[in-house]
Amino acid sequence: MINSLVFPRPSEAFKFASTRFDGSRKSKYSKPGMELTLTQPDDWHLHLRDDDLLQAVAPHSAKHFGRAIIMPNLKPPITTTAAAVAYRESILKALPADSNFTPLMTLYLTDTTSPNEIKLARRSGVVFAVKLYPAGATTNSQDGVTDLFGKCLPVLEEMVEENMPLLVHGEVTDPDVDVFDREKVFIDTVLQPLIQRLPRLKVVMEHITTMDAVRFVESGEEGFLAATVTPQHLILNRNALFQGGLQPHNYCLPVLKRETHRQAIVSAVTSGSKRFFLGTDSAPHEKQRKECSCGCAGIFNAPVAISLYAKVFEEAGALDKLEAFTSFNGPDFYGLPRNTSKIKLTKASWKVPDSLSFSFGNIIPMFAGETLEWQPCVGEKAEMLNEVQEVGANKG
């Protein structure tokens, strides 16, 4: 009988993960004190949860991002426009009083979603996409789709008419398919046929994890097929799940893959392609729900995401392409204006907290206890930067 579970400190795993770069590729931007000014980024894939967890984590995303596509996999899921509007109000109430953060809502696609609901969503002005969860694929996906073509085709056709994007968790749930192959099989059996049948449907393949997904996205028509990419899938490979012992805080879905897949994703993202954009998939769980005999999938990366993306682009020698990935490609795909505010990143060391404490318990952030090298400038300093740039623009 097992009386207790003992896990290595999260920082022990992240020490391994943080060495997964080619140190020989030095960046011309890597001088200490170097500053980068970026158009404020958006997060095109974010879990804010609800109730106490929402109150705890929403300020962390609002601190760095201007907007975010909000995932609808609550209990019960956000399946109607009315529910999305109500959830949006809860998010706004959870934000700091001085926050300008804008939640962009989504609907949770089910076997019974109606085409009329898509019309209502588009007319609401607050719903910007529909999320496809194959039933059983990830957290709170038990109400997801069981037969996309047999039960959802009228809804998908209405989405084409309304220019409403479909956001896809791209994994099959067949237990006979190896967990590391489920993304590729989904592409072959679901996404390829979907694109062929509805070529004008805008599709975002979310949190891609394989070179197969990279090739698929690059093969599609620009403006109709794109992908979001998380910091964990750019920095970690599947060894990070087991290095030094079982690492529950590195467990997410889709699960981390081989190093060759990570490298393919880094190459695609840092190439300057407009098809890839920032989506953190920040997915918080209370510590005890991660460190248990059946731990939840999800990595809480909101406090560190911008710093980690900068690290990836710096070590690829592509900091000049960072802003497009974080701030331009996403709104351009969705047909939304780019943000006008700015943030500043400074090459300065800062330590990630070991944990974040709240009334309901603790949340362990990604790279807990580790030192990162790019520090976002927020709050009063960022406001001063914006004011200076606005004065300069007015003079021009």
Side-chain angles (χ1 to χ4, degrees):
M1 179 178 180
I2 300 175
N3 295 319
S4 63
L5 294 171
V6 179
F7 298 100
R9 292 178 67 249
S11 60
E12 294 302 314
F14 288 128
K15 283 179 181 177
F16 165 79
S18 64
T19 65
R20 302 306 302 167
F21 294 93
D22 181 358
S24 65
R25 299 184 68 181
K26 301 298 183 182
S27 169
K28 63 181 179 180
Y29 301 107
S30 60
K31 297 178 181 179
M34 172 71 187
E35 293 183 346
L36 295 174
T37 300
L38 304 176
T39 299
Q40 187 172 27
D42 299 306
D43 186 348
W44 299 97
H45 183 131
L46 176 64
H47 297 270
L48 288 179
R49 311 303 192 200
D50 55 4
D51 300 328
D52 289 344
L53 204 48
L54 168 63
Q55 300 288 329
V57 303
H60 288 279
S61 290
K63 187 176 183 180
H64 296 151
F65 299 101
R67 298 167 290 196
I69 285 283
I70 309 300
M71 294 296 105
N73 57 329
L74 304 184
K75 288 186 176 181
I78 305 300
T79 57
T80 67
T81 302
V85 171
Y87 184 29
R88 181 177 183 271
E89 290 302 312
S90 297
I91 294 170
L92 293 175
K93 290 177 182 178
L95 299 175
D98 60 348
S99 176
N100 292 318
F101 178 81
T102 301
L104 308 176
M105 310 310 295
T106 62
L107 296 187
Y108 185 115
L109 184 64
T110 72
D111 290 345
T112 59
T113 302
S114 70
N116 187 59
E117 194 63 55
I118 304 303
K119 294 179 181 178
L120 293 174
R122 175 54 77 194
R123 292 169 188 164
S124 72
V126 302
V127 177
F128 290 85
V130 175
K131 180 62 182 276
L132 166 61
Y133 290 106
T138 189
T139 303
N140 296 342
S141 63
Q142 61 273 13
D143 297 307
V145 171
T146 63
D147 184 356
L148 183 66
F149 296 108
K151 297 182 178 180
C152 299
L153 191 57
V155 171
L156 298 174
E157 291 171 340
E158 186 61 37
M159 290 173 62
V160 174
E161 293 297 317
E162 297 291 343
N163 198 32
M164 179 75 75
L166 178 69
L167 314 183
V168 178
H169 182 111
E171 292 186 291
V172 297
T173 57
D174 183 344
D176 291 332
V177 178
D178 189 283
V179 67
F180 292 103
D181 297 329
R182 291 180 179 181
E183 184 170 278
K184 181 183 186 305
V185 174
F186 188 89
I187 292 170
D188 295 340
T189 62
V190 180
L191 279 183
Q192 286 282 15
L194 176 63
I195 297 302
Q196 291 171 3
R197 188 157 188 171
L198 296 172
R200 298 291 95 183
L201 177 66
K202 292 175 74 76
V203 175
V204 179
M205 189 174 184
E206 300 197 295
H207 43 50
I208 62 169
T209 67
T210 62
M211 65 177 66
D212 307 282
V214 168
R215 291 168 183 160
F216 172 69
V217 172
E218 290 176 339
S219 72
E221 182 176 347
E222 189 172 296
F224 287 93
L225 181 59
T228 59
V229 185
T230 75
Q232 54 265 30
H233 292 111
L234 286 169
I235 289 180
L236 305 178
N237 64 38
R238 65 187 189 178
N239 288 343
L241 289 165
F242 311 108
Q243 184 74 12
L246 187 63
Q247 298 292 337
H249 297 286
N250 290 350
Y251 173 51
C252 60
L253 288 173
V255 72
L256 301 171
K257 302 299 194 301
R258 290 180 181 272
E259 175 65 7
T260 52
H261 292 296
R262 187 195 71 82
Q263 291 176 2
I265 297 169
V266 169
S267 295
V269 163
T270 59
S271 70
S273 171
K274 297 179 180 180
R275 302 169 189 268
F276 304 95
F277 42 87
L278 185 158
T280 66
D281 192 21
S282 185
H285 292 285
E286 199 275 325
K287 179 181 178 181
Q288 296 304 317
R289 295 195 66 202
K290 293 286 290 180
E291 298 180 4
C292 61
S293 60
C294 188
C296 295
I299 295 175
F300 180 53
N301 60 37
V304 300
I306 295 297
S307 298
L308 296 179
Y309 285 123
K311 173 182 176 66
V312 170
F313 277 76
E314 177 188 24
E315 297 196 12
L319 275 177
D320 58 320
K321 298 179 176 67
L322 176 63
E323 186 176 35
F325 173 78
T326 63
S327 311
F328 298 162
N329 297 347
D332 290 355
F333 181 87
Y334 277 84
L336 296 173
R338 298 173 179 179
N339 292 324
T340 57
S341 57
K342 305 288 183 180
I343 67 166
K344 183 183 289 186
L345 288 173
T346 303
K347 190 69 181 295
S349 298
W350 65 282
K351 185 178 180 181
V352 182
D354 288 320
S355 69
L356 301 172
S357 298
F358 304 97
S359 60
F360 56 83
N362 297 326
I363 300 175
I364 306 299
M366 186 177 181
F367 271 69
E370 287 298 298
T371 298
L372 301 184
E373 297 180 347
W374 285 98
Q375 186 167 26
C377 173
V378 296
E380 185 175 330
K381 291 182 179 179
E383 291 174 6
M384 292 173 61
L385 172 65
N386 291 338
E387 290 173 1
V388 168
Q389 291 180 333
E390 287 173 4
V391 169
N394 292 335
K395 287 182 178 180

